[in-house]
């Protein structure tokens, strides 16, 4: 609901601050006092265009600000639009326009585009008389409004329909992804096959590169290796006098004295180990030397294989493991071409099952909707008759569609005929004036409990009607005020007397300038204002008493 309204420098309003209660609120005053200007301020808050012609003469800027209290449903919808609102937090909407025509819009201090403001405020305010902002006149809302009346069983069908469609669309995306992948692979198939063949032709073995590098070093340096091995053997073997002979003779000398003490045995033991270790070392050097061959043919083989490996490394990876992993990866992709065909067949089968289920749910949901539509038509017919539109006919038209949507496969539109013999027309095409006001009022009486728009503003709904009809309108406005906050600009004492809160708007000359002021009326002031609305400025006791009686009526 709208808690506070502030307007500055709008036309003849210099500064205005109003605090609103719940229920039915009326704005009354003499013609030309500025009631429509207040409506213009509200229009700014719901996203109407602003122009510099709206500025008060001599003012630097104009500003309209509204403080709204939102329900849980509104807060949820605002969050979906990207406007963060905490539970119980007020929503502060502000519009500004400077004298150069530069305008800004804010919600809770965050600047937003005008289009976003319209979308946000469409969930909070419904202004009857401005068709671009009427939720009930927007055909796109009709199916949503109808579905709000559905009972739990029908809601279950609709949820099943939504889940079925979600899975159907997910499978569609999976099929497209597989087909896109197959198309891409098909385009690269020959290239991938060439790469696999090129890698396989080398017959790589994981880990062989280190062995080849070591073998290459030995083959490339075989002459130098053999020369050094020979020299090493020569130094260890010096004919009869060699390292082993020296150690052997030393060992024999120690053997003769070993019996004289354990320290001699210990030295002898170490010397024997040295003798056998050196003997084994010389033997190993001889074996290594015999194994080393100067093999130019094998060297060329190793060099050629390393060249092939290095050539593959330039294209496919830094190591043999990376090259083989790349080959396995593209081979796996090629294998998925056949696997993809099988997977698509499975997905298509499941998609067809979901398609069938969706249309079954859609038909079931249509049946529930038609039942509720018949009920709404009957109820609305009664509301229109109550408002003295006895020949009016209302129709909730439900037409099947061929498309699959989250709301089902129905196109829903509200149609109406206001006169006998007249064909049904879309609700958005109905005439303006008192007729449209009554139709909207009848619709609001039906939908106000479910359309989640908590603020209804009626601009002179009494225009073109009078007598018994206007009294019925007044009664209906009060009824709607039990579910929603209703703000009504009116010249009708019958409507004003039903209000929970009444404001008086007047135009005054202050310092040779015309200024509109607004003030809330206390109970006795309301009596006098309603008496003025009944009989003008010449009030009699009878008129005042009649006004008092109107206020006391339930």
């Amino acid at each position: 609901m709208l808690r506070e309204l502030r307007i500055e420098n709008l036309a003849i309003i210099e500064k205005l601050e109003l605090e609103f209660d719940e229920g039915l609120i009326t704005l009354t005053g003499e013609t030309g006092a500025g009631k429509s200007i207040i409506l213009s301020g509200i229009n700014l808050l719901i996203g109407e265009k602003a122009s510099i012609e709206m500025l008060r003469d001599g003012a630097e800027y104009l500003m309209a600000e509204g403080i709204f209290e939102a329900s849980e449903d509104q807060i949820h919808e605002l969050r979906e639009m990207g406007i963060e609102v905490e539970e119980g937090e007020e929503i502060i909407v502000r519009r500004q326009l400077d004298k150069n025509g530069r305008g800004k819009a804010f919600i809770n201090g965050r600047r937003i585009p005008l289009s976003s403001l319209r979308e946000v405020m469409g969930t909070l305010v419904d202004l009857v008389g401005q068709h671009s902002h009427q939720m009930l006149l927007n055909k796109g809302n009709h199916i949503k409004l109808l579905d709000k009346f559905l009972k739990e069983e029908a809601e279950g069908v609709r949820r099943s329909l939504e889940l079925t469609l979600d899975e159907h669309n997910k499978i569609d995306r999976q099929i497209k992804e597989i087909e896109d992948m197959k198309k891409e692979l098909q385009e690269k198939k020959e290239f991938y096959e060439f790469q696999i063949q090129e890698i396989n032709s080398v017959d790589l073995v994981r880990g062989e590169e280190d062995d080849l590098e070591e073998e290459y070093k030995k083959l490339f340096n075989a002459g130098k290796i053999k020369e050094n091995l020979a020299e090493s053997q020569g130094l260890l073997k010096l004919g009869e006098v060699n390292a082993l002979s020296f150690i052997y003779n030393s060992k024999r000398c120690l053997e003769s004295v070993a019996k004289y003490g354990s320290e001699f045995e210990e030295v002898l033991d170490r010397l024997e180990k040295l003798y056998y270790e050196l003997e084994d070392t010389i033997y190993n050097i001889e074996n290594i030397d015999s194994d080393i061959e100067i093999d130019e043919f094998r060297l060329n083989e190793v060099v050629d294989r390393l060249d092939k490996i290095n050539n593959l490394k330039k294209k496919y990876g830094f190591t043999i493991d990376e090259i083989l992993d790349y080959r396995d990866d593209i081979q796996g992709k090629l294998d998925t071409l056949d696997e993809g065909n099988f997977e698509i067949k499975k997905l298509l089968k499941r998609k067809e099952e979901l398609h069938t289920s969706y249309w079954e749910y859609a038909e079931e949901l249509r049946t529930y909707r038609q039942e509720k539509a018949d009920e709404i038509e009957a109820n609305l017919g009664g509301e229109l008759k109550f408002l003295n539109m006895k020949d009016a006919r209302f129709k909730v038209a439900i037409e099947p569609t061929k498309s699959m949507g989250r709301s089902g496969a129905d196109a829903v539109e509200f149609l109406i005929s206001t006169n006998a013999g007249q064909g049904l027309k879309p609700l958005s095409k109905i005439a303006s004036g008192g007729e449209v006001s009554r139709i909207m009022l009848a619709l609001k009486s039906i939908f106000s409990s479910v359309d989640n728009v908590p603020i209804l503003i009626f601009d002179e709904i009494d225009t073109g009607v009078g007598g018994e009809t206007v009294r019925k309108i007044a009664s209906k406005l009060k009824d709607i005020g039990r579910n929603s906050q209703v703000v009504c600009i009116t010249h009708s004492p019958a409507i004003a007397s039903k209000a929970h809160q009444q404001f008086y708007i007047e135009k005054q000359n202050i310092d040779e300038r015309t200024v509109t002021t607004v003030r809330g009326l206390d109970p006795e002031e309301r009596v006098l204002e309603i008496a003025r609305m009944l009989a003008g400025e010449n009030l009699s006791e009878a008129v005042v008493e009649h006004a008092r009686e109107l206020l006391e009526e339930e």
Side-chain angles (χ1 to χ4, degrees):
M1 61 178 292
L2 177 60
R3 284 296 186 191
E4 298 178 33
L5 175 66
R6 298 189 183 97
I7 297 174
E8 293 181 16
N9 300 320
L10 177 59
I12 58 175
I13 295 177
E14 184 174 12
K15 190 172 184 179
L16 176 72
E17 293 188 13
L18 300 177
E19 294 186 9
F20 294 110
D21 294 334
E22 298 177 354
L24 174 61
I25 301 158
T26 56
L27 303 176
T28 63
E30 294 182 355
T31 301
K35 296 187 292 295
S36 61
I37 300 174
I38 295 174
L39 191 60
S40 295
I42 296 175
N43 279 338
L44 291 175
L45 295 180
I46 61 178
E48 283 291 327
K49 290 183 179 180
S51 65
I52 55 175
E53 288 77 17
M54 301 172 74
L55 266 72
R56 179 177 170 79
D57 289 344
E60 296 290 317
Y61 69 94
L62 73 78
M63 185 275 290
E65 182 180 80
I67 299 178
F68 297 87
E69 181 183 291
S71 67
E72 290 184 9
D73 288 336
Q74 271 85 49
I75 289 173
H76 177 71
E77 291 184 37
L78 290 171
R79 285 174 178 169
E80 287 187 340
M81 296 176 191
I83 306 295
E84 281 301 320
V85 182
E86 298 297 326
E87 296 291 339
E89 182 182 356
E90 293 176 328
I91 300 169
I92 302 174
V93 180
R94 187 171 77 254
R95 285 285 301 278
Q96 295 175 191
L97 183 74
D98 64 26
K99 64 180 182 180
N100 297 313
R102 291 189 293 265
K104 297 177 183 178
F106 301 87
I107 292 185
N108 286 2
R110 173 186 167 189
R111 188 172 178 180
I112 62 170
L114 200 58
S115 58
S116 297
L117 177 64
R118 293 191 191 104
E119 185 178 5
V120 169
M121 296 308 292
T123 69
L124 292 173
V125 180
D126 199 355
L127 181 53
V128 176
Q130 304 296 316
H131 285 210
S132 60
H133 288 284
Q134 289 178 348
M135 187 178 191
L136 289 174
L137 291 184
N138 185 344
K139 178 183 175 182
N141 290 323
H142 293 177
I143 193 169
K144 299 176 186 177
L145 290 169
L146 175 60
D147 284 357
K148 287 180 184 293
F149 284 95
L150 296 178
K151 295 182 180 179
E152 186 175 346
E153 185 178 358
E155 280 295 319
V157 172
R158 190 173 67 170
R159 284 193 294 271
S160 296
L161 179 143
E162 291 173 352
L163 292 173
T164 300
L165 182 62
D166 288 344
E167 186 180 353
H168 181 277
N169 292 340
K170 180 182 177 182
I171 287 176
D172 256 350
R173 291 192 296 271
Q174 289 176 327
I175 292 173
K176 186 178 186 306
E177 287 171 3
I178 294 173
E179 288 177 339
D180 289 345
M181 180 197 68
K182 284 181 59 184
K183 182 180 179 182
E184 181 182 352
L185 286 175
Q186 198 65 45
E187 292 172 352
K188 295 181 178 180
K189 181 180 179 183
E190 290 186 6
F191 179 59
Y192 282 161
E193 287 175 340
F194 167 77
Q195 290 182 319
I196 291 170
Q197 191 278 329
E198 183 179 32
I199 293 171
N200 286 341
S201 67
V202 180
D203 198 19
L204 295 174
V205 177
R206 295 182 188 273
E208 72 169 313
E209 190 176 11
D210 291 339
D211 294 338
L212 288 170
E213 290 286 355
E214 186 177 344
E215 185 179 3
Y216 167 77
K217 291 175 184 177
K218 289 179 180 179
L219 288 168
F220 186 77
N221 296 287
K224 185 176 181 179
I225 292 170
K226 290 184 73 67
E227 181 182 333
N228 281 276
L229 287 173
E231 185 177 352
S232 176
Q233 289 181 72
L235 290 172
L236 292 173
K237 284 184 173 183
L238 299 175
E240 292 295 329
V241 182
N242 53 49
L244 287 173
S245 296
F246 285 126
I247 296 172
Y248 179 77
N249 291 330
S250 176
K251 182 170 74 72
R252 197 172 62 175
C253 291
L254 286 173
E255 286 174 347
S256 63
V257 297
K259 59 187 176 181
Y260 299 118
S262 60
E263 66 271 25
F264 304 119
E265 290 180 356
E266 182 180 343
V267 173
L268 178 62
D269 184 58
R270 292 175 64 185
L271 194 59
E272 283 180 343
K273 289 179 181 179
L274 180 62
Y275 175 83
Y276 291 119
E277 183 69 27
L278 181 59
E279 187 178 47
D280 189 55
T281 300
I282 293 170
Y283 178 76
N284 286 339
I285 291 174
E286 289 174 348
N287 286 338
I288 292 171
D289 183 49
S290 64
D291 289 340
I292 297 295
E293 295 182 7
I294 300 175
D295 189 343
E296 291 292 332
F297 179 77
R298 177 57 185 164
L299 176 62
N300 290 333
E301 281 185 337
V302 172
V303 169
D304 180 61
R305 181 139 186 94
L306 286 171
D307 285 344
K308 289 179 179 178
I309 292 172
N310 288 329
N311 184 52
L312 292 179
K313 284 165 67 176
K314 291 176 184 177
K315 296 180 180 180
Y316 306 119
F318 294 108
T319 65
I320 287 177
D321 282 347
E322 289 185 11
I323 294 169
L324 292 175
D325 288 345
Y326 174 75
R327 179 203 62 187
D328 293 344
D329 179 57
I330 60 176
Q331 182 63 61
K333 288 180 178 179
L334 291 177
D335 291 343
T336 60
L337 281 172
D338 292 332
E339 293 172 4
N341 291 332
F342 177 72
E343 184 65 21
I344 286 176
K345 286 181 181 178
K346 286 201 307 182
L347 290 172
L348 286 173
K349 181 180 178 182
R350 178 57 181 158
K351 179 182 173 182
E352 184 60 31
E353 292 171 353
L354 292 167
H355 184 272
T356 301
S357 295
Y358 176 89
W359 287 104
E360 289 174 353
Y361 287 132
E363 290 179 11
E364 190 175 356
L365 184 58
R366 184 177 303 124
T367 300
Y368 284 120
R369 282 173 173 159
Q370 191 59 62
E371 290 174 357
K372 186 54 64 176
D374 294 342
E375 183 181 325
I376 291 171
E377 289 170 8
N379 290 339
L380 194 66
E383 293 289 340
L384 292 171
K385 285 180 173 59
F386 176 80
L387 294 171
N388 290 341
M389 295 184 68
K390 296 180 174 57
D391 294 324
R393 291 184 298 124
F394 182 81
K395 175 73 176 176
V396 180
I398 302 176
E399 295 293 333
T401 65
K402 295 182 180 180
S403 59
M404 297 169 62
R406 288 183 62 79
S407 297
D410 297 324
V412 176
E413 184 172 16
F414 298 161
L415 307 176
I416 196 162
S417 169
T418 56
N419 298 303
Q422 185 182 57
L424 292 164
K425 295 180 181 179
L427 192 62
S428 58
K429 303 296 183 182
I430 55 178
S432 60
E435 195 173 65
V436 69
S437 296
R438 279 183 285 167
I439 293 169
M440 294 307 299
L441 185 58
L443 287 167
K444 283 299 178 183
S445 68
I446 297 292
F447 288 103
S448 62
S449 62
V450 296
D451 64 8
N452 290 329
V453 178
I455 306 164
L456 309 177
I457 299 175
F458 290 89
D459 181 14
E460 298 189 354
I461 191 172
D462 51 295
T463 300
V465 294
E468 181 63 21
T469 300
V470 78
R471 284 191 291 274
K472 289 182 175 181
I473 289 174
S475 176
K476 191 59 63 177
L477 286 170
K478 186 173 183 179
D479 287 343
I480 296 174
R482 292 187 174 95
N483 293 319
S484 304
Q485 184 187 49
V486 180
V487 179
C488 184
I489 297 172
T490 183
H491 290 288
S492 168
I495 294 175
S497 67
K498 296 293 184 181
H500 302 94
Q501 185 181 28
Q502 185 173 350
F503 291 92
Y504 179 65
I505 304 169
E506 61 182 332
K507 187 164 57 176
Q508 299 176 335
N509 289 321
I510 301 175
D511 296 330
E512 298 183 352
R513 300 184 69 183
T514 302
V515 176
T516 289
T517 61
V518 183
R519 59 188 174 87
L521 301 180
D522 62 29
E524 194 57 35
E525 288 173 328
R526 287 191 68 190
V527 172
L528 296 176
E529 169 58 7
I530 290 173
R532 182 199 64 77
M533 297 172 74
L534 286 166
E537 298 301 328
N538 299 318
L539 302 183
S540 65
E541 289 186 11
V543 171
V544 172
E545 185 59 30
H546 181 42
R548 200 180 303 278
E549 290 172 357
L550 285 176
L551 284 165
E552 291 174 353
E553 289 179 358
E554 286 297 328

